[in-house]
């Protein structure tokens, strides 16, 4: 098929045709959005006028665009000002990215409701890609009847991308009440077309070609979205200035007081994200992107295609097994085992087989099945599920390449590469040549993603959640990655480089010394013992913690033992895991097993949960377990199997009400009685919700211990999502509000003779150790590799000094002040200890 064959567009509705000039709306009538026609509808289901892909469907359901294989793009807009209806009266029948046949229903609408509540029901069909057309009908038309004949000229060549670094505007907040819907988007795109520059509009991690109306609409912007304009080329600066002003003024729509137009051009020298894996490196930018694959839709017969899919799945399984064998016992192995499970997922396979039966190719069927699930995962608004989407996309791509027989060649990388990518997949990360790659920077991803876990396992510094402008950096540019601070320096000077090198050397020396002394107890110089235990998620980590001087396990995140399973582990399997961990620790060491903390950011595939609007405030942790007591009973039984092998403690997560503790204790007592376990394990709760901290005096008589989960306590106290890339620097556990809650908790616990630990990430920060000790915390449960550092830090301190700095920081105003005070304290302490040592 060539691009020059004429294309007939079918009537998307029945009704009466009108010329665009008759539309009472200057933007449509002037053809600024595109030429086409208007229908006064008599039917209520909008159907596709051509075969193609749904390139955009507005969340409000009032507008949809279809793009065919030759790039002909048709926008349909139901009614005028219908964006104001905010979706009421419209039902979307298709998803963005879905392929549709001409005549297929796209949107249903309630004509009465729309006519009564919007300015007009007149519906527009516009050829926004600009091809010429001739009219095939007039007057009354029936749905499906040919309406226009479009002559697609030669495919319009994509405007050549301008070379060189792009300039970026400062972020600005979108003032339009209904976001950039069709009309303001058209005004913006029209203005952008006037500049000799390649221009993009950015919203968080998404970017749209600013000259494409549909691309802008696909950003689905809403009022208050933070946007940036970037431009490269001759008129870049002028374009940014004009377009930022246009955005601030509402792109032709009246907006409340013009937002302060921000300084138009930024030439940031530091880009910030969050630390995914610590460390630092100096190297050269290498932009990496996955090539687009061409996927044939039609198959060569069901049996042939079925066999092709089966072959590819088998080959992928073998490849994953090899990767697991290479990484046995490590985090990588676990991740690839999870990928292998995805290959067997019955829902995915059922979806793919359905398409094979409909005559589609193996590649098309598999790709559609995985892509639909990836999209579903991404749309749930849950950071952890979105990260699992990245895993699925990765497996999907692996199988797809096998079907298409595309060889996965390793990237040809120069030495000292700092990789820059929209997103890396776990497979790409695991196969990085660490001889050449010094670190990486991604726009997507989060500190809890599998990619972050792999980067840590490989010892590669990495940051994620970096602004999209990083994708505009030219290859070969010399940059400095300071992952500890979450920063990428674009213009590093020699002094900064030297400073970083020296700091790295010092850190390495100190680390060596701390590891050598890891077996020494953590006793302050004035004789106060702090128990330093480990946060673990596997037997392997428990064993590693013991070699690094860990004094027990302060937090076993039991939900991580089986996070990537599709099927629940059997009771015997659970019991044998806990028993093996308890045995490794021995009868003299604490083992604190936290019961399943599922929900919120941690879904478990085998515990089906309903989607929640606000999962962090929903059925999480103990709440979910009490809703499904069988789950809790089974876990209690499995944990109790290890009674006597270690000093067993059970800890309940996310407790916010005293009644939750009472209910859980009753269940534990019943299960212990049934199993004939005479001595109950110690029972404690996590303090990670402000209500529990504030009522610690009420909880204390009923528990054996508290352990403070500063990760959640911070997010709930400051009302800031713990995985939000843009809030990462403010959601700081050093905030005095969090520290005051820790103080309240410790005071209440000690008044009742109970001990208090901290198992959130704050305990793993050497800077926080003095304040935690000063507040009276008895145990620090830390991430395994940091055990030697935290123990060494304790040994440098005096309890009385810690008490005094703790009192002081509780009175400060914000986290930054606390950090500064603690840095001052640290400098003074280290000086004193080195004087004493000499
Ligand atoms: C915490 O919230 O601090 C904690 C230790 O629990 P998790 O990070 O597993 O939610
Ligand atoms: Mg928590």
């Amino acid at each position: 098929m060539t691009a020059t064959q004429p294309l007939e567009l079918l009537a998307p509705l029945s009704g009466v045709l009108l010329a665009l000039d008759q539309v009472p709306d200057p933007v449509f009538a002037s053809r600024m959005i595109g030429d086409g026609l208007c229908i006064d509808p008599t039917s209520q289901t909008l159907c596709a006028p051509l075969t193609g892909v749904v390139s955009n469907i507005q969340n409000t359901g009032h507008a949809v665009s279809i793009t065919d294989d030759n790039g002909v793009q048709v926008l349909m807009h139901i009614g005028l000002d219908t964006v104001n209806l905010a979706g009421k009266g419209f039902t979307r029948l298709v998803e963005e990215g879905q392929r549709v046949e001409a005549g297929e229903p796209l949107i249903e609408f309630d004509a009465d409701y729309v006519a009564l509540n919007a300015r007009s029901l007149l519906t527009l069909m516009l050829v926004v890609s600009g091809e010429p057309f001739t009219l095939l009908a007039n007057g009354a038309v029936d749905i499906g009847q040919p309406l226009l004949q479009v002559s697609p000229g030669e495919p319009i060549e994509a405007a050549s991308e301008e070379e060189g670094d792009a300039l970026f505007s400062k972020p600005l907040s979108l003032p339009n009440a209904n976001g950039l819907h069709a009309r303001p988007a058209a005004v913006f795109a029209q203005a952008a077309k006037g500049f000799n520059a390649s221009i993009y509009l950015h919203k968080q991690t998404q970017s749209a070609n600013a000259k494409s109306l549909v691309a802008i609409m696909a950003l689905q912007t809403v009022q208050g979205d933070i946007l940036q304009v970037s431009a490269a080329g001759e008129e870049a600066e002028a374009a940014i200035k004009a377009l930022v002003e246009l955005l601030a003024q509402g792109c032709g729509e009246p907006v409340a007081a013009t937002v302060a137009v921000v300084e138009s051009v930024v030439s940031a020298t530091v880009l910030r994200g969050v630390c995914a894996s610590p460390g630092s490196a100096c190297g050269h930018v290498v932009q990496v992107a996955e090539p687009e694959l061409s996927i044939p839709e039609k198959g060569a017969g069901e049996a042939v295609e079925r066999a092709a899919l089966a072959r590819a799945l088998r080959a992928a399984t073998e490849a994953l097994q090899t990767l697991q064998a290479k990484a046995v016992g490590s985090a990588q192995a676990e991740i690839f085992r999870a990928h292998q499970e995805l290959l067997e997922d019955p829902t995915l396979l059922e979806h793919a087989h359905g398409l094979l039966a409909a005559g589609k190719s193996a590649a098309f069927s598999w790709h559609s099945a995985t892509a639909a699930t990836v999209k579903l995962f991404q749309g749930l608004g849950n950071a952890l599920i979105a990260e699992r989407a990245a895993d699925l996309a990765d497996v999907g791509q692996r199988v797809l390449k096998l079907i298409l027989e595309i060889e996965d060649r390793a990237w040809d990388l120069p030495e000292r590469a700092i990789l820059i990518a929209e997103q890396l997949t776990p497979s790409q990360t695991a196969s990085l040549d660490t001889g050449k790659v010094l670190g990486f920077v991604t726009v997507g991803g989060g500190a809890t993603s599998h990619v972050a876990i792999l980067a840590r396992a490989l010892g590669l510094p990495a940051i994620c959640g970096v602004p999209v402008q990083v994708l505009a950096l030219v290859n070969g540019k010399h940059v400095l990655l300071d992952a500890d601070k979450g920063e990428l320096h674009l213009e590093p000077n020699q002094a900064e480089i030297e400073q970083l090198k020296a700091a790295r050397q010092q850190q390495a020396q100190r680390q060596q010394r701390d590891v050598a002394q890891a077996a020494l107890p953590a006793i302050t110089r004035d004789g106060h013992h702090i128990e330093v235990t480990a946060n673990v998620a596997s037997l392997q980590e428990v064993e590693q913690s013991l070699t690094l001087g860990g004094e027990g396990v302060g937090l076993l995140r039991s939900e991580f033992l089986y996070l990537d399973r599709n099927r629940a582990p059997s009771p015997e399997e659970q019991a044998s895991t806990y028993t093996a961990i308890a045995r490794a620790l021995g009868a003299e060491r604490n083992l604190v097993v936290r019961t399943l903390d599922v929900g919120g950011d941690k879904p478990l595939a085998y515990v089906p949960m309903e989607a929640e609007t606000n999962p962090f405030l929903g059925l999480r942790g103990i709440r979910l377990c009490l809703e499904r007591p069988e789950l809790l009973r089974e876990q209690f039984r499995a944990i109790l199997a290890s009674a006597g092998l270690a000093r067993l403690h059970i800890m309940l997560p996310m407790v916010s009400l005293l009644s939750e503790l009472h209910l859980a204790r009753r269940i534990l007592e019943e299960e212990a009685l049934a199993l004939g376990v005479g001595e109950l394990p110690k029972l404690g709760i996590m303090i990670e919700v402000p209500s529990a901290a504030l009522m610690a005096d009420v909880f204390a008589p009923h528990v054996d211990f508290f352990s403070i989960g500063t990760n959640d306590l911070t997010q709930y106290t400051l009302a800031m999502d713990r995985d939000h890339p843009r809030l990462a620097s403010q959601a700081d556990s050093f905030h005095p509000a969090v520290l005051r809650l820790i103080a309240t908790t410790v005071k209440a616990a000690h008044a009742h003779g109970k001990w208090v630990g901290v198992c959130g990430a704050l305990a793993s920060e050497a800077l926080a150790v003095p304040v935690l000790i000063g507040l009276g915390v008895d145990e620090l449960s830390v991430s395994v590799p940091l055990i030697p550092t935290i123990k060494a830090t304790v040994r440098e301190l005096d309890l009385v000094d810690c008490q005094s700095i703790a009192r002081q920081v509780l009175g400060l105003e914000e986290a930054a002040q606390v950090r500064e005070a603690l840095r001052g304290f640290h400098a003074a302490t280290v000086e004193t200890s080195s004087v004493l040592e000499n």
Side-chain angles (χ1 to χ4, degrees), residues 55 96 161 166 168 188 198-221 226-231 422 443-444 466-472:
S55 39
E96 210 163 278
E161 286 294 302
F168 277 76
F188 185 78
S198 77
I199 309 172
Y200 283 85
L201 183 65
H202 308 275
K203 176 188 138 185
Q204 294 181 356
T205 58
Q206 292 169 268
S207 305
N209 182 339
K211 297 180 184 179
S212 160
L213 161 75
V214 174
I216 296 171
M217 288 174 71
L219 287 179
Q220 306 272 14
T221 49
I226 305 297
L227 303 179
Q228 272 183 290
V229 182
S230 74
E422 171 95 43
V443 175
V466 177
V468 278
Q469 60 210 79
V470 76
L471 300 177

Side-chain angles (χ1 to χ4, degrees), residues 555 557 559 594 597 601-602 620 653-654 686-688 709-713 715-716 722 759-760:
L555 169 65
R557 286 184 162 105
E559 64 282 353
R594 180 173 73 182
D597 184 15
D601 61 335
K602 289 182 278 203
R620 240 201 99 170
M654 276 295 292
M686 301 266 309
I687 298 284
E688 48 186 350
T710 46
N711 308 337
D712 277 313
L713 188 60
Q715 85 162 340
Y716 292 123
R722 60 192 269 183
C759 61

Side-chain angles (χ1 to χ4, degrees), residues 643-836:
L645 297 173
R647 290 211 309 244
L648 189 59
H649 293 62
I650 293 183
M651 176 155 76
L652 309 171
M654 276 295 292
V655 172
S656 46
L657 308 172
L658 188 61
S659 57
E660 293 164 339
L661 169 62
H662 289 327
L663 273 171
R665 182 183 286 280
R666 183 143 30 92
I667 296 177
L668 176 64
E669 284 168 354
E670 283 169 12
E671 292 306 322
L673 190 68
L675 289 175
V677 176
E679 196 189 335
L680 268 196
K682 304 284 182 210
L683 183 63
I685 62 169
M686 301 266 309
I687 298 284
E688 48 186 350
V689 177
S691 68
L694 292 167
M695 303 282 282
D697 57 335
V698 174
F699 280 97
H702 305 282
V703 297
D704 294 308
F705 66 96
F706 288 139
S707 186
I708 304 175
T710 46
N711 308 337
D712 277 313
L713 188 60
T714 305
Q715 85 162 340
Y716 292 123
T717 304
L718 299 177
M720 291 183 187
D721 184 339
R722 60 192 269 183
D723 290 325
H724 198 301
R726 292 228 299 281
L727 293 177
S729 62
Q730 292 170 59
D732 191 340
S733 300
F734 285 85
H735 196 286
V738 179
L739 300 178
R740 287 181 188 204
L741 290 176
I742 298 177
T744 306
T745 306
V746 174
K747 205 163 151 219
H750 287 178
H752 290 87
K754 309 293 164 69
W755 63 267
V756 182
V758 172
C759 61
L762 188 64
S764 300
E765 295 226 25
L767 195 64
V769 171
V771 66
L772 295 178
I773 295 183
L775 291 175
V777 167
D778 305 289
E779 177 229 38
L780 298 173
S781 189
V782 309
S783 132
V784 174
L786 288 159
I787 295 171
T789 310
I790 298 298
K791 287 181 93 176
T793 307
V794 173
R795 289 194 293 265
E796 281 174 353
L797 300 168
D798 275 302
L799 177 62
V800 277
D801 294 343
C802 293
Q803 286 166 338
S804 128
I805 185 74
R807 267 194 304 275
Q808 188 195 327
V809 297
L810 285 186
L812 296 177
E813 290 166 4
E814 53 185 53
Q817 292 174 351
V818 175
R819 283 181 181 270
E820 198 181 304
L822 289 170
R823 274 194 287 267
F825 176 83
H826 174 75
T829 319
V830 171
E831 251 165 52
T832 331
S833 40
S834 49
V835 169
L836 288 177

Side-chain angles (χ1 to χ4, degrees), residues 162-169 195-202 228-241 243 265 472:
E162 298 284 348
E163 287 291 324
D165 281 353
L167 297 173
F168 277 76
S169 74
F195 291 97
N196 183 12
S198 77
I199 309 172
Y200 283 85
L201 183 65
H202 308 275
Q228 272 183 290
V229 182
S230 74
E234 207 176 298
E235 295 181 331
E237 205 163 331
I240 288 185
K241 190 162 185 298
L243 293 173
V265 179

